[in-house]
Amino acid sequence: DPLRGELLLRAVLAPPEQCRLRLAVHRPVDDALEQVTEYIGDQPKPGRIGRRFPANAGIIGKAFREKDVFIARRVNDDYESYVRELVTDWNFTEGQARLLNPAAMEWMAVPLTEGGRVEAVLYLDVNQRGFFTTERQELILAATRGIAVFIGRRYD
């Protein structure tokens, strides 16, 4: 169950109290990545499950296309500069960029592969700079190995 895996992963990462860590799983559908879980670490909101992100944009799109793990940090604290950064650096339209979490300071995307095929992408974001240390990255990668197998079986 990817939800149980996400809960366990969030617990293992042990974010400090003031830190807001969110995790969600997205799976490829046509030319998009569809969110298939609520954000763990955030209040559930209607419309999140099933929403689609372009596979050519954002860190989840990059992880999906390149079949590799990526970590990025927000360059700008100013919101309007952040929106421009999402447009110029991450290939979002301005409208798409304005719908993204304005509190995110760092992101990580991990492709969940089975047999060389990306079955899903685990997305993490956090409102604190410097959160994705080498140790936390290793924990995330170790925890995600079994999730891909489940997702491949569940959504095929």
Side-chain angles (χ1 to χ4, degrees):
D1 176 359
L3 183 59
R4 189 169 47 223
E6 286 181 76
L7 287 169
L8 178 61
L9 180 56
R10 189 172 192 291
V12 167
L13 292 175
E17 251 182 72
Q18 72 278 12
C19 182
R20 187 169 162 210
L21 172 66
R22 305 183 321 153
L23 301 87
V25 174
H26 300 77
R27 71 180 180 107
V29 176
D30 301 323
D31 292 333
L33 293 164
E34 178 182 63
Q35 187 171 338
V36 295
T37 65
E38 285 287 351
Y39 282 103
I40 304 303
D42 202 359
Q43 293 295 332
K45 292 183 182 173
R48 281 186 175 161
I49 293 179
R51 70 181 176 162
R52 293 186 177 185
F53 297 86
N56 69 334
I59 197 166
I60 62 173
K62 187 171 180 68
F64 171 71
R65 291 186 318 275
E66 298 186 27
K67 297 179 183 179
D68 204 355
V69 176
F70 290 95
I71 299 164
R73 289 163 181 82
R74 184 169 160 173
V75 175
N76 298 289
D77 288 334
D78 172 71
Y79 179 71
E80 292 303 319
S81 297
Y82 170 58
V83 169
R84 283 192 304 278
E85 176 185 337
L86 290 169
V87 171
T88 59
D89 296 352
W90 293 102
N91 208 29
F92 285 107
T93 66
E94 183 175 341
Q96 291 165 335
R98 291 190 182 281
L99 294 174
L100 300 176
N101 180 10
M105 289 294 167
E106 291 188 354
W107 313 268
M108 184 171 180
V110 181
L112 306 174
T113 59
E114 173 75 9
R117 184 175 140 207
V118 177
E119 298 290 345
V121 177
L122 174 67
Y123 170 77
L124 305 91
D125 70 23
V126 66
N127 67 344
Q128 177 181 312
R129 293 182 190 274
F131 181 81
F132 293 116
T133 61
T134 302
E135 294 80 19
R136 282 196 174 114
Q137 291 173 43
E138 289 170 3
L139 284 171
I140 291 165
L141 295 176
T144 59
R145 290 191 182 104
I147 297 174
V149 174
F150 172 83
I151 289 175
R153 291 179 186 152
R154 166 73 169 83
Y155 293 103
D156 275 349

